[in-house]
Amino acid sequence: MLRRVLLQVATQHRRCIVSPYVSHEFRRSSSHYLSSSSQIGNSSSVEHLEGSNQSHETSAQPSTTVSIDRSGLYNPPEHSHEPSPDSVLVKHLKGIIKFRGGPISVAEYMEEVLTNPKAGFYINRDVFGAEGDFITSPEVSQMFGELVGVWAMCLWEQMGQPKKVNLIELGPGRGTLMADLIRGTSKFKSFTESLHIHMVECSPTLQKIQYNNLKCMADENSNASVENGVISSLAGTPVSWHATIDQVPKGCMTLSSAIISIL
């Protein structure tokens, strides 16, 4: 029957090409034949497909619901185009620039931003660790400080094992590196007994943290050669703090993370 319908449609199409007046009749007759043939031949298959789709949709529905807790996510404040009030540090920097009548150097800017007595980045808070702004290598693993200790002891031996050595750390953070260094070399008494640790740190807050991490205590047997009379109980090594490296006493062999020289 489908073959007969197709032949009739083809005949009507040829007639439509010859005469445009039969186009309306062609459309009506072809639609009638196609609809009747589809109802006869495919009615059962269409019903079966519709039923299968409905069953598939029913089975695809989730049996449980998943909820997501977004309460702990950070919600940034809405951006405001209004100018924010200047902080104490910004006002200070503007005052310096205005007083000089021109720009300041990058070195001066960084010094103010990091070590300004009132608003410096490192001055009034602990910025290290998971609760701070960044994590340094000593905070990740004690192996870092221990390896630096091995390096320092090897250099000490190469220098002829001097009896007095200044061990300087610039920007010691929490004192974690120095604590691991002393702890790792504490069994080598000849090395640790020759050391005088100098921590170059301008932040009072970090100085207190370093004091605690190095297990410092007052030296009852201190003499004039031991500045501040403070020792680290980790190895009985004297410890001193300085705001700048220029304040470190001269006259002894020196070890630091960057230089080896005689001050």
Side-chain angles (χ1 to χ4, degrees), residues 30-78:
S30 60
S31 61
H32 171 73
Y33 285 121
L34 289 175
S35 61
S36 61
S37 61
S38 61
Q39 291 176 358
I40 295 173
N42 299 327
S43 59
S44 60
S45 61
V46 170
E47 291 177 358
H48 175 70
L49 289 175
E50 289 178 352
S52 63
N53 289 336
Q54 292 176 357
S55 60
H56 176 70
E57 291 176 357
T58 304
S59 61
Q61 292 180 356
S63 58
T64 59
T65 59
V66 178
S67 61
I68 300 175
D69 183 11
R70 295 183 172 87
S71 60
L73 298 178
Y74 172 70
N75 295 320
E78 295 183 1

Side-chain angles (χ1 to χ4, degrees), residues 89-218:
L89 183 60
V90 171
K91 292 179 180 178
H92 178 67
L93 291 171
K94 288 183 176 180
I96 295 175
I97 295 172
K98 184 178 180 180
F99 176 78
R100 293 188 180 181
I104 62 176
S105 65
V106 175
E108 291 174 304
Y109 170 79
M110 293 302 297
E111 181 179 3
E112 290 291 341
V113 170
L114 299 179
T115 63
N116 183 274
K118 294 183 178 181
F121 179 74
Y122 289 108
I123 296 301
N124 300 316
R125 62 192 183 100
D126 181 10
V127 299
F128 302 100
E131 297 180 357
D133 296 323
F134 60 95
I135 300 176
T136 58
S137 298
E139 303 292 338
V140 175
S141 172
Q142 77 279 2
M143 292 180 62
F144 186 85
E146 292 172 353
L147 290 174
V148 174
V150 174
W151 168 84
M153 191 167 60
C154 289
L155 293 178
W156 171 77
E157 291 179 348
Q158 293 176 9
M159 291 189 296
Q161 299 184 5
K163 297 299 182 181
K164 293 183 179 181
V165 177
N166 286 337
L167 179 58
I168 305 174
E169 185 174 1
L170 309 177
R174 288 177 169 174
T176 306
L177 184 149
M178 188 61 70
D180 292 334
L181 186 154
I182 298 174
R183 192 181 296 107
T185 58
S186 60
K187 293 183 178 180
F188 301 91
K189 297 298 183 180
S190 57
F191 173 67
T192 56
E193 290 177 356
S194 68
L195 297 178
H196 186 152
I197 298 173
H198 296 274
M199 311 285 273
V200 180
E201 178 61 67
C202 62
S203 169
T205 301
L206 293 178
Q207 285 184 10
K208 294 178 180 178
I209 297 175
Q210 295 157 15
Y211 185 96
N212 294 329
N213 287 339
L214 291 175
K215 309 296 182 184
C216 289
M217 54 186 295

